Amino acid sequence: MTEFEKMRNQEFYDFTNSEGLTSYNRAKKICAKLQTMTTEDENYRDIIEQLIPNIPKSSTVAPPFYCDHGHGIHLGENVFINYYATMLDGGIITIGNNTIIGPNCQFLTPNHPINYIQRRKPIEKCLPITIGEDCWIGAGVTICPGVTIGNRCIIGAGSVVVKNIPDNCMAVGNPAKVIKNNLDVIDN
């Protein structure tokens, strides 16, 4: 198994491997192009599709935007990601249909060794992040490695999500805690 395959398979891998660095450098160059664009610019769609393959036409990522690879990001239909999102996509990041992401959110899949001697080595493992459908992730939210947020959830602004959140919940705080469930009631 290559180091890149180990990365995608949630195993410790050497992040200085040539395949990973090539992918990383490619994404950085594309992200740099995006920094001077708006979603209304003529070339925006071409550039974002180079970065995030198979991004649905109905989904939008507002620059500036930062990621490690781009091809580790899987977006559903009608996803909106606001300004200054950071997605460290060594692990797969999946965002379901009709989900909106506030500005300055971070999706962090890398996880470094706990042992300080091991942390001196250029190794990490990346755990996937999954966000369900019809979610609202407030401004400045940080989502940590391996977290799954269920369908129809709201994560309050500034929260740090370190554990899974079930469907139909509102979670806030650092660490984020569920403060309300059964959000499937329609507002009037």
Side-chain angles (χ1 to χ4, degrees):
M1 188 179 306
T2 68
E3 295 300 308
F4 198 84
E5 290 168 336
K6 289 179 187 177
M7 177 184 77
R8 291 292 195 222
N9 284 293
Q10 304 171 39
E11 296 180 25
F12 279 107
Y13 74 100
D14 178 347
F15 56 74
T16 64
N17 74 85
S18 62
E19 184 181 10
L21 289 175
T22 298
S23 175
Y24 176 83
N25 289 328
R26 177 191 164 280
K28 291 298 161 229
K29 289 177 182 174
I30 297 171
C31 285
K33 290 178 188 176
L34 278 173
Q35 305 326 318
T36 61
M37 303 183 89
T38 73
T39 57
E40 302 304 314
D41 286 344
E42 183 178 328
N43 294 342
Y44 163 77
R45 199 77 209 168
D46 292 334
I47 301 295
I48 199 68
E49 288 175 2
Q50 287 175 37
L51 185 62
I52 304 172
N54 302 314
I55 182 174
K57 297 284 185 203
S58 63
S59 292
T60 302
V61 176
F65 174 75
Y66 306 94
C67 68
D68 280 348
H69 301 282
H71 49 78
I73 301 167
H74 300 246
L75 304 180
E77 295 287 340
N78 300 308
V79 169
F80 179 77
I81 300 172
N82 215 327
Y83 308 111
Y84 292 103
T86 299
M87 295 191 174
L88 305 186
D89 62 317
I92 301 298
I93 298 171
T94 304
I95 300 175
N97 297 337
N98 306 305
T99 289
I100 53 176
I101 311 292
N104 296 301
C105 288
Q106 299 180 77
F107 296 73
L108 311 174
T109 70
N111 205 3
H112 299 280
I114 293 172
N115 178 278
Y116 73 95
I117 299 295
Q118 292 297 316
R119 266 197 318 273
R120 294 176 183 171
K121 298 176 184 177
I123 61 171
E124 64 187 12
K125 69 173 148 179
C126 296
L127 304 176
I129 292 173
T130 303
I131 311 299
E133 296 185 355
D134 296 296
C135 290
W136 174 17
I137 309 299
V141 167
T142 298
I143 302 172
C144 291
V147 166
T148 295
I149 296 173
N151 296 316
R152 299 169 301 278
C153 287
I154 298 171
I155 308 299
S159 295
V160 178
V161 186
V162 298
K163 293 184 179 177
N164 294 346
I165 306 294
D167 290 349
N168 301 309
C169 288
M170 180 184 293
V172 300
N174 181 3
K177 293 186 182 351
V178 173
I179 62 167
K180 190 173 192 178
N181 51 31
N182 298 320
L183 291 179
D184 54 355
V185 178
I186 298 174
D187 291 335
N188 286 346

